Amino acid sequence: MTTLDDILNAPHPASDWILAQDCAETGLHPDDIRAEMLRRIREMRASIERGLSSDAKSITGMVGWNAKGLWDAPDVLGAPLLRRVQAYAMAVNEENARMGRIVAAPTAGSAGTIPGALIGVADHLGIPDERLVSPMILAAGIGKAISKRMFISGAAGGCQAEIGSSAAMAAAAIVELMGGTPRAAVHAASMALMNTIGLVCDPVGGYVEVPCVSRNAFYAVHAVSAAQLALAQLESFIPPDEVLGAMASVGRMMPAALRETADGGLAQTPTGLAVTARMEGRKDGEGPGGMIELPLA
């Protein structure tokens, strides 16, 4: 089983080592894996472009205009990278909420973090998509190592398992993109993970919209922050695999109400309950009813 420590001690660049491991496991040719990864990067970019150009509401009407609104707004803080990363991340998740085509990375609910952070940084620096293939292979390796130790679904381990994993994957990928060492990449992943421990999964109405869309924007920036720290040679005080173990332990302790059931957190606020009642075709305050049928396209 590949661990974060294995990747940390891999030869530079870590993506080559991960690619070799995957080829040995699957029997696929390296060129085929690289081609498939480039295809997925282009799918991510396509979802960003659709999301930035649309203000169509999601199937529930809770989101759909956020990415375009941010992208079209004046950059009053003079922080083009920050705005780009946030807008890209929300664009992907709003496409998901509109039932559009996205790349789950590693889940649909956290699909905006990697493209928001990695493609956002690349576009900010003028780096072409072809140079994102190796960082994405490293991101996949980080995700695989995480999945062997803990859950990557909100229903199993809270949002920490989804957005934490995606932020870790994105942080490591950015470090490799910028020429960082395997050690720096893994410590970036570790710092991203440790600062998401305990994050609950509380989607309003059970839909991956609120707070999920804005959460991807925040944690895409979180990934960039972790990468910047690691590229400056800062490291996680707690070893990466121990951080991962701690997150898994917290996930097991988390009550079911905070694991994608819509029985706690924001989903149980008065507004969250009123929206849920409307989506279920009930009057606010009535008992649970059958879910209304929503359009799939």
Side-chain angles (χ1 to χ4, degrees):
M1 180 180 73
T2 300
T3 67
L4 293 179
D5 196 52
D6 291 332
I7 300 172
L8 183 148
N9 291 304
H12 183 61
S15 58
D16 284 353
W17 182 82
I18 288 170
L19 183 60
Q21 297 290 316
D22 196 56
C23 289
E25 183 178 318
T26 64
L28 294 172
H29 192 278
D31 290 345
D32 293 333
I33 294 175
R34 288 185 173 278
E36 175 60 23
M37 193 61 79
L38 181 58
R39 186 184 72 80
R40 295 187 187 190
I41 291 167
R42 287 172 174 162
E43 288 282 4
M44 288 178 170
R45 181 173 290 285
S47 64
I48 290 171
E49 291 172 352
R50 291 194 306 272
L52 292 179
S53 64
S54 176
D55 57 7
K57 292 181 180 179
S58 66
I59 58 173
T60 69
M62 289 192 288
V63 298
W65 53 90
N66 297 283
K68 187 176 188 299
L70 175 60
W71 191 242
D72 292 344
D75 182 11
V76 294
L77 292 179
L81 175 59
L82 177 67
R83 184 176 68 158
R84 183 183 297 274
V85 166
Q86 290 181 316
Y88 280 18
M90 288 194 294
V92 174
N93 280 86
E94 289 191 315
E95 273 297 287
N96 179 59
R98 285 188 286 259
M99 306 303 287
R101 185 181 179 89
I102 54 96
V103 177
T107 65
S110 60
T113 310
I114 293 175
L118 181 61
I119 298 178
V121 167
D123 285 0
H124 179 70
L125 298 175
I127 298 172
D129 287 351
E130 289 74 14
R131 283 184 54 193
L132 304 185
V133 171
S134 290
M136 279 289 290
I137 289 172
L138 174 56
I142 294 288
K144 185 175 182 180
I146 291 171
S147 72
K148 297 296 184 182
R149 291 285 307 279
M150 62 169 266
F151 344 88
I152 57 169
S153 76
C159 198
Q160 58 163 12
E162 294 200 21
I163 206 78
S165 297
S166 64
M169 295 162 69
I174 293 168
V175 170
E176 171 137 333
L177 177 67
M178 302 310 298
T181 64
R183 183 181 185 91
V186 173
H187 275 283
S190 179
M191 286 187 280
L193 284 174
M194 73 161 56
N195 288 295
T196 57
I197 289 177
L199 189 63
V200 303
C201 187
D202 54 350
V204 173
Y207 291 92
V208 187
E209 299 186 17
V210 176
C212 317
V213 169
S214 62
R215 191 166 284 173
N216 273 263
F218 277 93
Y219 280 91
V221 174
H222 178 82
V224 175
S225 297
Q228 185 165 22
L229 294 179
L231 286 165
Q233 306 305 311
L234 279 69
E235 295 188 347
S236 168
F237 180 80
I238 305 298
D241 280 314
E242 292 184 26
V243 171
L244 185 51
M247 179 174 275
S249 176
V250 170
R252 288 190 293 270
M253 291 187 285
M254 195 173 289
L258 302 178
R259 289 189 276 114
E260 207 172 353
T261 58
D263 289 333
L266 294 175
Q268 288 293 304
T269 60
T271 298
L273 291 171
V275 170
T276 302
R278 175 181 61 79
M279 290 190 293
E280 294 181 350
R282 296 182 284 115
K283 294 180 180 179
D284 190 17
E286 288 182 349
M291 294 295 288
I292 60 173
E293 291 188 7
L294 295 168
L296 297 179

